[in-house]
Every structure is written in C-alpha cells, then in structure tokens.
Amino acid sequence: MKKEILAKKLRDNLNRRKASTKETKSPSIIAIETCFKGLSVSLYKEGEIFTEVEERQQMQSSRLTEMVESLLQKERDIDLMLVNKGPGAFTGLRVGVSFAEGFAFGGGARKLLFCTSFDVMIGGIKEVQNSTLVIVNAIRDTFYISEFNDKKFGEAKYVTLKELQDLLNTKTFNIICEDSTYGFKGNIIKVDAKINSENILNAYFKHPSLFVSNYQPLYIRSSI
C-alpha cells in the first residue's frame, strides 16, 4: 500500500513538472540595428518575429523610440534587448547604444546584451569554420574586417581595398561579405549576410556566446 501511494506521488510530481514546462513562456526579445543606413527593430515573441524598418538615412534618433513603442504594443514584458554596437556609422552607433542603455536601465528590459556587426553577418550560418574572414562595407572602397577562429572573432580592422586585396593574396580564407562584386579572392560563402535586426536575432539564437554585456561602441574608423 505504501509503495502504491509513493508511486502515485511520484507520478503526480512528474505530471506537474511536465505541465509547468509546457506553460513556461519563451523569452521576449527586442533587437535593434542602427549602425548603417536607416534602422530596423525586431521583436521576438513566442516563436514569431515582428519587424519595423526605416530605410531613410539619418533617421535613427527621430524614429527609433517610435518604432520600439510600436512593437511594445504587442509585448511590453521584455526579457532581453540585443543591440549592435558596431563598427558602423558614428551617429547611428551612439543613438543605438544610448537608447539601449536608457531603455534597459530604466526597467524596459530585464537584460541587455551587445553584438558586433561581424556577429550579425554570420547570423545566417549554423556552423562557422575557422579562417573565416567577415568583410563589412564601410565607405568609398574601405572595409571593416575580422577573422573568425575557435568560435570567436579576432581583432577588428579598418582597411582600404588595396590592403584587403593584399591580405587575401597572402592567405586563403572562407569569406562572408555583403557585396561579392569586388571579386575577393577566397571561398565566398553564399548567405544572407545583411546587417539588420532580424539577423541580430538569428545570430543570438545560433551563436549566443558572441553576445556580451560590454556596451562600449566599437569605433575603428576615425570620425574625421
């Protein structure tokens, strides 16, 4: 009799745990990208992604709050905010990082994490191989580059087209880039390597260890 009672209690406890697991709400996440032309904001909620996009240039400061507020109408209980801290345009970088700090520290999100533009570029890749060079277009035939090895990126650099071509002539890389019209020498991986808020989410789901709490913007190129 005692064994039957104990077995029933164990079954009841197991059923309660299963029910509790089913009722557990998936985290709600807001991702913000302001480092390049225009801006985009995405909300992840219960397996769905909702996105607001502003394609006009230099609209980050005037539209960001409005776009976030629009998505908050769908979910105000935000567990995590993800923000690209660069490299990218100076003004956009400052706007995104400053807004995220204010929003999270003011209680708008329980946790705040940052990624780099390189992290976002690999958001569409499940497994990134060593010796993968990620190339991000900067301005007028200049680029931000960083090499991926051992599940992390190395030093970020700002280079000219000639400097980049010289590097590619000395070592063989797997290459992830936004624009293949330059004809870079190497194994170009065909992916959707766009820097936007949806790819920030993709990067977080596939490579969460790349996201950090260090909120200092990643400046490489001089503002002059």
Side-chain angles (χ1 to χ4, degrees), residues 12 36 45 55 84 105-106 112 198 202 212-213 217:
D12 290 344
F36 292 89
K45 176 186 177 183
E55 295 182 348
N84 183 5
F105 297 160
L112 175 61
E198 289 190 17
N202 289 333
V212 298
S213 57

Side-chain angles (χ1 to χ4, degrees), residues 2 4 11 20 31 40 64 67 86 104 109 111 116 118 120 127 131 146 152 168 175-176 186 188 191 197 202 208 212:
K2 289 183 179 180
E4 292 176 359
R11 286 196 300 272
S20 176
S40 60
L64 179 55
M67 291 165 66
K111 190 174 183 180
T116 70
F118 306 111
V120 184
E127 294 292 337
S131 296
S146 185
K152 62 181 182 296
L168 297 178
I175 294 174
I176 298 174
I188 296 180
V191 294
S197 56
N202 289 333
V212 298

